[in-house]
Amino acid sequence: MTTAPSNAATNTGRHHPHTLSAMDFQSASSGVAAKAMRSELSRLANAIQDAKARRIHQNEMDHFYSLFTRYLSEKSKGTKLDWDKVKEPSPEQIIPYKDLPVCENPELLNKLAVLKLNGGLGTTMGCVGPKSVIEVRDGMTFLDLSVRQIEYLNRKYDVNVPFILMNSFNTDDDTMRIVQKYGSHKIDILTFNQSRYPRINKESLLPMPRTPSGDISQWYPPGHGDLFESMHNSGILDRLIAEGKEYVFISNVDNLGAVVDLNILKYMVDNDSEFLMEVTDKTKADIKGGTLIDYEGTVRLLEVAQVPAEHIDDFKSIKKFRIFNTNNLWIDLKAIKRVTEEKELNLEVIVNNKTLESGVKVIQLETAVGSAIKHFKNAHGINVPRSRFLPVKSTSDLFLVTSDLYSLNHGELKMNPKRLFQTVPLVKLGDEFKKVSNFLARFQSPPHILELDHLTVTGDVTFGAGVQLKGTVIIVANHGHRIDIPPNSVLENKVVSGNL
């Protein structure tokens, strides 16, 4: 089908192409969107009166704009990942933890800093404020347990490992108030904020905020891949290096298994590695977790969002990709300074679509800290025991860590040696248990689960004190009915349903 030439083209006698290819159209649209975004960001910056505040804001917006233009470029050119080049990592790229030499020299700890990613809220579990202040065990929060671990380390080995929190604008105020209670503890606590980026209106591709101090819901923290820039911009990076620190151990604040490990630290020092990622064996519960791959001879992190639709089943396969990223990372501080100052970082853009309460559809552009692995020298994975990955993402996870499956020692959770199999039971609690307050109200005391393999609970169910669960237990309260498990009941390989 052809299109008749316009009068303008005929009258001037000039030749105009009648149609643009889809790619040319996308490129032209991207150019317009980039220009409009730059103009809006400049307008926002110019509205800030204080010169120092304006400079900090401008720096953040420059990084945001770089991410935005990469997003536009990828959108118009399509995905850059060639699936045929995705290979399983070689044995040299994933080292088994059991092969690491035992470290006898705790002096190395004086070269280490520990950093927790503390930008998330506890909204998924029905809590207000930072996730790190949810009580998880014996009246202690995630933050309490982390502080206790580092304080014990410092006392035991007479070292000074500083504890650092990367907050977001969502968690900073609450965290700063809580941190004050650790003033008398043997631990240096440092905090800094990650960046604050404007949400993008999906329709117009323009920033949602109209002023720098606009409604907080129009801004977002851009994922933990922002760590490198934020560490650098805050001055924390230079401070740590000046204090003689050489390495940082990074983990999610809700991963109760992420404790300092001297053997990994020694291996890093001995092998001159700039970046180590702890990975662990994948189970059917972990099929969406990012995995390490070999891509053109380089170790890379592959996230599910990067996988072409026709290869999703391959990605989720436990046979092909046997490990996943725990987000426990060990990184050389001077290497962070190098890649940041030389602007080497080019992290994969994660597009997060959201709908605001007003109904407006927005885009958040984020990055993952683990995807930086490709920018560091001698970077690879360490295949660690599952015990180093103990996240609490839901009340089903909370059920496990509050039970007799674990004991608490100096802030560290250890699996009970009385459990015959050192595997974690599969637990699925229904919507009635989703919020922490509801979860707590439904248990008079945590059940005994040393011999539990699988638990599914749905509907209006409550548990009396001293209940024992063994083998596979399924409890289903029918709609409009209720099941109360009496105190001291023993349920072994049972299905309970209906009304009780």
Side-chain angles (χ1 to χ4, degrees):
M1 179 180 171
T2 56
T3 307
S6 69
N7 288 340
T10 310
N11 292 345
T12 58
R14 290 180 187 161
H15 173 72
H16 286 274
H18 303 312
T19 57
L20 280 170
S21 74
M23 191 169 278
D24 287 342
F25 178 78
Q26 286 274 22
S27 296
S29 301
S30 295
V32 171
K35 194 172 179 183
M37 176 62 80
R38 174 52 89 191
S39 171
E40 281 295 298
L41 294 178
S42 297
R43 189 185 61 74
L44 280 171
N46 290 335
I48 300 172
Q49 300 300 315
D50 180 72
K52 185 182 177 185
R54 186 167 61 246
R55 196 164 58 247
I56 292 168
H57 175 86
Q58 187 67 62
N59 196 16
E60 281 189 353
M61 292 308 100
D62 285 346
H63 291 301
F64 166 76
Y65 181 71
S66 170
L67 197 60
F68 179 69
T69 53
R70 286 211 336 267
Y71 158 72
L72 293 176
S73 171
E74 288 179 21
K75 196 175 162 198
S76 64
K77 293 175 185 172
T79 178
K80 295 179 294 189
L81 189 77
D82 182 346
W83 192 255
D84 292 334
K85 293 179 180 176
V86 173
K87 304 280 187 283
E88 284 187 70
S90 67
E92 301 79 49
Q93 289 170 327
I94 307 280
I95 309 296
Y97 177 83
K98 60 181 172 52
D99 291 353
L100 301 187
V102 175
C103 178
E104 308 285 356
N105 178 19
E107 268 295 303
L108 283 177
L109 289 168
N110 280 317
K111 297 182 175 183
L112 184 70
V114 170
L115 189 153
K116 295 286 182 184
L117 302 169
N118 185 45
L121 295 168
T123 45
T124 314
M125 293 161 73
C127 296
V128 178
K131 187 174 184 180
S132 56
V133 301
I134 295 174
E135 284 189 14
V136 285
R137 183 82 191 211
D138 299 355
M140 285 187 284
T141 65
F142 290 107
L143 211 47
D144 292 333
L145 294 174
S146 295
V147 168
R148 182 168 278 207
Q149 287 168 20
I150 303 301
E151 188 179 29
Y152 174 68
L153 202 67
N154 286 339
R155 286 190 189 282
K156 182 179 177 182
Y157 296 114
D158 192 25
V159 291
N160 182 22
V161 176
F163 181 63
I164 307 161
L165 293 165
M166 181 171 85
N167 302 331
S168 68
F169 61 83
N170 287 322
T171 63
D172 188 53
D173 284 350
D174 287 337
T175 301
M176 293 305 286
R177 279 198 295 273
I178 292 156
V179 159
Q180 291 175 15
K181 74 176 182 181
Y182 306 120
S184 60
H185 292 237
K186 183 178 166 57
I187 185 169
D188 290 336
I189 300 180
L190 309 173
T191 67
F192 67 99
N193 268 15
Q194 65 180 119
S195 301
R196 186 184 78 149
Y197 285 179
R199 283 174 162 159
I200 303 161
N201 184 304
K202 194 169 184 177
E203 201 74 14
S204 65
L205 289 183
L206 290 173
M208 286 295 295
R210 303 297 297 155
T211 63
S213 56
D215 185 347
I216 206 71
S217 70
Q218 297 179 340
W219 302 82
Y220 72 98
H224 40 58
D226 176 60
L227 174 133
F228 304 104
E229 298 289 354
S230 294
M231 267 189 98
H232 185 271
N233 294 342
S234 66
I236 287 276
L237 183 61
D238 285 336
R239 174 175 170 175
L240 291 172
I241 292 171
E243 290 174 359
K245 305 303 173 191
E246 297 179 29
Y247 308 97
V248 60
F249 172 45
I250 299 162
S251 63
N252 296 339
V253 77
D254 67 1
N255 181 3
L256 296 174
V259 297
V260 170
D261 187 286
L262 264 168
N263 296 350
I264 298 177
L265 179 59
K266 176 180 167 56
Y267 175 85
M268 186 173 195
V269 174
D270 290 349
N271 290 272
D272 210 17
S273 293
E274 289 187 345
F275 193 117
L276 295 176
M277 174 185 288
E278 292 185 39
V279 296
T280 195
D281 291 343
K282 192 190 276 190
T283 69
K284 287 179 180 173
D286 313 307
I287 51 176
K288 290 185 179 176
T291 189
L292 283 183
I293 57 169
D294 179 294
Y295 194 82
E296 299 181 319
T298 304
V299 67
R300 295 258 297 256
L301 178 67
L302 177 67
E303 299 277 11
V304 67
Q306 298 164 255
V307 179
E310 64 272 23
H311 295 292
I312 288 289
D313 288 342
D314 279 354
F315 177 80
K316 291 180 177 179
S317 160
I318 295 175
K319 288 178 184 170
K320 181 163 185 178
F321 299 110
R322 292 190 291 271
I323 48 96
F324 73 98
N325 169 28
T326 64
N327 222 33
N328 298 349
L329 308 170
W330 301 74
I331 313 182
D332 183 298
L333 288 166
K334 286 181 179 169
I336 293 177
K337 188 173 171 71
R338 182 191 73 237
V339 299
T340 308
E341 291 185 348
E342 294 180 9
K343 305 203 181 306
E344 293 175 16
L345 288 171
N346 183 21
L347 308 186
E348 282 73 20
V349 182
I350 299 166
V351 182
N352 192 349
N353 291 291
K354 298 251 183 190
T355 303
L356 300 183
E357 284 183 8
S358 60
V360 176
K361 288 183 164 47
V362 297
I363 298 169
Q364 294 181 182
L365 302 178
E366 302 172 8
T367 55
V369 62
S371 64
I373 191 168
K374 63 186 178 184
H375 293 294
F376 290 84
K377 294 168 187 170
N378 196 12
H380 47 276
I382 305 282
N383 192 346
V384 298
R386 183 76 185 202
S387 58
R388 291 190 59 75
F389 183 68
L390 196 59
V392 180
K393 304 290 183 193
S394 65
T395 50
S396 297
D397 297 329
L398 195 59
F399 173 87
L400 292 168
V401 299
T402 54
S403 74
D404 58 349
L405 195 65
Y406 296 98
S407 57
L408 190 62
N409 188 24
H410 302 296
E412 185 177 344
L413 288 184
K414 296 271 194 189
M415 188 173 281
N416 194 324
K418 291 179 183 173
R419 182 166 171 85
L420 293 177
F421 306 103
Q422 294 294 296
T423 53
V424 176
L426 187 61
V427 174
K428 296 178 181 175
L429 300 180
D431 287 346
E432 289 78 6
F433 293 79
K434 194 173 180 182
K435 292 186 176 180
V436 172
S437 55
N438 295 348
F439 166 85
L440 294 172
R442 291 182 176 276
F443 293 97
Q444 277 187 22
S445 70
H448 301 290
I449 63 167
L450 280 180
E451 296 175 50
L452 180 69
D453 298 320
H454 178 119
L455 174 68
T456 295
V457 185
T458 58
D460 186 1
V461 180
T462 64
F463 292 79
V467 172
Q468 290 186 56
L469 303 172
K470 302 179 179 184
T472 296
V473 179
I474 297 170
I475 306 171
V476 180
N478 295 340
H479 183 67
H481 290 166
R482 172 177 173 141
I483 293 176
D484 296 314
I485 305 297
N488 304 313
S489 302
V490 178
L491 300 183
E492 183 169 4
N493 295 322
K494 283 271 194 247
V495 175
V496 182
S497 64
N499 188 24
L500 185 65

